Amino acid sequence: MSELEAAVREIAEEMRGRLDRGEVASYIPELARADANAFGLVVIDADGAVAAAGDADVPFSIQSISKVFTLTLALGMVGDRLWRKVGREPSGSPFNSIVQLERERGIPRNPFINAGAIAVTDVILSGHQPREALGEILRFMQFLAQDPSIAIDEAVAASEARTGFRNSALANYMKSFGVIENPVDFTLGVYFHHCAIAMSCRQLAMAGRFLAHSGRNPSTGHSVVSAERARRINAVMLTCGHYDGSGEFAYRVGLPGKSGVGGGILAVAPGKASIAVWSPGLDASGNSHLGRIALEALTKRLGWSIFGH
């Protein structure tokens, strides 16, 4: 067994035995049904070797992790013009805060808080029907993961739409400033659905490989984005990927990462590996409690922090 496989198995075993598991998200009713005891971890290295442990193949709702991929798509469509509609700074506020948006005249602080991701979704939607835009996002995820079986969990999407009053408020507020250009219901429909994509840790780690290897999938040689763009996306993930817990994640784990309230985290060790972890219990900032602890253990053990060994 390789050092990587041994590390992944031992960390998963340790996490299974822990009692401090955080709180499963309940504000989206469908997410409250997740098994609080679930834990999966997958690491895919530069050679394509997969180290997996725990519930590595159980699909879960990726939620905000989808925002990494919608950001990638939107940058591919409009390039740096995207940054006229959304900033690149950490928010320091909860992911669904409306106060900041009012103070900053409808321009969301970054593409990973809800308002920012809704603005990014609106860019992808422009010139398309909602169904087409959603199909494009889903096909992109399937292409990156090399898995056409990846699908949207319709029950989660419906649950989000029924309870998404705060997101509706954010979208309507941005619409009043002209940041949102399409009908609000269309933009929100696409947003709720891409957040409801279900993936396993194995699929998610596959999808994130291009960010770990200068914009390319090292196994196929296929270029997804330029090396510079991959670096920039990683930078935003590092500073903004964990809401107002982003500083703590950078301090403890030391890798670019993006969390979702479904309990998943996608992390990137540049030049080394793509990592996905899932544990549904969240901390106070809405990030996977055990997921972060597991990633901290992994980077310590393998010396993978981007800030030094």
Side-chain angles (χ1 to χ4, degrees), residues 49-162:
V50 179
D55 302 306
D57 293 299
V58 177
F60 59 90
S61 189
I62 66 169
Q63 292 294 312
S64 288
I65 303 172
S66 67
K67 297 170 184 178
V68 172
F69 303 100
T70 51
L71 172 62
T72 305
L73 270 178
L75 285 169
M77 290 173 169
V78 300
D80 285 343
R81 281 185 300 150
L82 181 68
W83 303 119
R84 296 177 196 166
K85 296 205 166 197
V86 59
R88 295 191 295 269
E89 293 297 329
S91 67
S93 300
F95 56 83
N96 57 4
S97 171
I98 202 163
V99 177
Q100 204 160 40
L101 204 54
E102 183 168 18
R103 212 170 42 238
E104 296 173 2
R105 301 192 57 77
I107 302 290
R109 187 63 74 89
N110 67 66
F112 294 153
I113 52 173
N114 290 17
I118 292 167
V120 168
T121 301
D122 189 67
V123 168
I124 296 172
L125 178 57
S126 291
H128 297 87
Q129 290 300 313
R131 192 179 293 273
E132 294 169 353
L134 195 56
E136 196 158 338
I137 295 165
L138 188 59
R139 280 192 301 276
F140 186 51
M141 302 294 290
Q142 292 168 340
F143 163 74
L144 291 173
Q146 298 172 335
D147 189 339
S149 72
I150 292 166
I152 292 162
D153 185 328
E154 292 292 346
V156 172
S159 189
E160 290 196 52
R162 275 196 307 273

Side-chain angles (χ1 to χ4, degrees), residues 1-10 43 45 47 49-52 301-302 304:
M1 193 188 301
S2 71
E3 182 193 7
L4 179 58
E5 286 175 307
V8 166
R9 286 190 191 177
E10 283 167 27
V43 182
D45 71 12
D47 298 323
V50 179
R301 187 156 167 171
L302 299 172
W304 277 2

